[in-house]
Amino acid sequence: MAQCTVKSCDICEKSPRSRFCTNCKQYFCKICEISHLKSTFFSNHVFKDTDIANTEVKKSICKHDKKFMYYCSVCASRNCDICFPYQSKHDCCHIDAAAPIFRSSLEQDISAAEDKIKRAKQEISTSRLTLKNFKDEADKAKKDIVERVDVIVNALNDTKIPI
């Protein structure tokens, strides 16, 4: 079975990465994160889960200090010339060939997201209009109640028998 090297900890290169140091711009496994934070020099570093770490911080070079040249669709990983042979049993292609596929997929996702945002804005607008109508009806009902109470109080005052 081929090993997906870019998903391992940048420090020990054995355990799966689960945390990202925003100061060092490196991925850590939990054990290496704890070790990193024990050092006085790194104790104030901030970590995030890898799934919420900013995608802009992903390196354009691998741990071999080589530029990514291949994309593995099985691991969803990028690989350099040295990493590539380890992916031989996976479905890999040149990264330039994979980019248009992802670009098209991202454009579809963006379009779908924009449609959802548009529908959500319409629903918000409709909800605000409905809320305004409810408030207007409530205000009218309050006014009607006050007017009826005034009529009843005035009628009771008019029917009072003087002492």
Side-chain angles (χ1 to χ4, degrees):
M1 179 183 217
Q3 188 177 8
C4 189
T5 56
V6 294
K7 292 198 175 202
S8 62
C9 172
D10 289 347
I11 308 306
C12 69
E13 298 179 354
K14 293 176 185 171
S15 300
R17 65 186 185 194
S18 61
R19 305 285 285 156
F20 179 78
C21 178
T22 58
N23 302 84
C24 296
K25 309 290 188 232
Q26 285 184 304
Y27 292 97
F28 288 74
C29 65
K30 192 65 182 165
I31 293 169
C32 290
E33 173 191 4
I34 292 167
S35 175
H36 187 68
L37 291 172
K38 282 184 180 178
S39 167
T40 309
F41 187 75
F42 302 119
S43 62
N44 64 341
H45 281 202
V46 177
F47 279 82
K48 290 184 179 181
D49 287 336
T50 55
D51 57 342
I52 59 172
N54 191 341
T55 56
E56 293 176 342
V57 298
K58 288 187 177 176
K59 298 177 181 180
S60 60
I61 57 172
C62 77
K63 64 183 181 182
H64 301 110
D65 287 329
K66 295 232 178 219
K67 187 176 178 182
F68 290 123
M69 298 298 294
Y70 302 97
Y71 178 77
C72 174
S73 60
V74 174
C75 296
S77 64
R78 299 169 295 164
N79 302 284
C80 71
D81 291 330
I82 296 171
C83 298
F84 181 67
Y86 296 105
Q87 300 287 354
S88 62
K89 293 182 181 177
H90 288 193
D91 185 19
C92 295
C93 65
H94 196 273
I95 204 159
D96 291 339
I101 297 166
F102 285 101
R103 186 173 291 115
S104 173
S105 175
L106 286 173
E107 287 170 353
Q108 290 174 356
D109 290 346
I110 289 169
S111 178
E114 287 172 342
D115 288 344
K116 286 180 182 179
I117 290 169
K118 183 179 177 181
R119 284 194 303 273
K121 285 181 178 179
Q122 289 171 343
E123 288 179 20
I124 289 170
S125 178
T126 301
S127 296
R128 284 184 178 158
L129 183 59
T130 302
L131 180 62
K132 184 186 179 313
N133 289 340
F134 282 141
K135 284 181 180 179
D136 291 347
E137 287 179 24
D139 289 344
K140 185 178 183 273
K142 286 178 189 176
K143 184 178 173 187
D144 289 346
I145 291 169
V146 168
E147 287 175 0
R148 287 181 188 168
V149 168
D150 285 344
V151 167
I152 293 170
V153 168
N154 287 337
L156 288 173
N157 285 337
D158 290 344
T159 59
K160 265 190 176 177
I161 302 174
I163 305 180

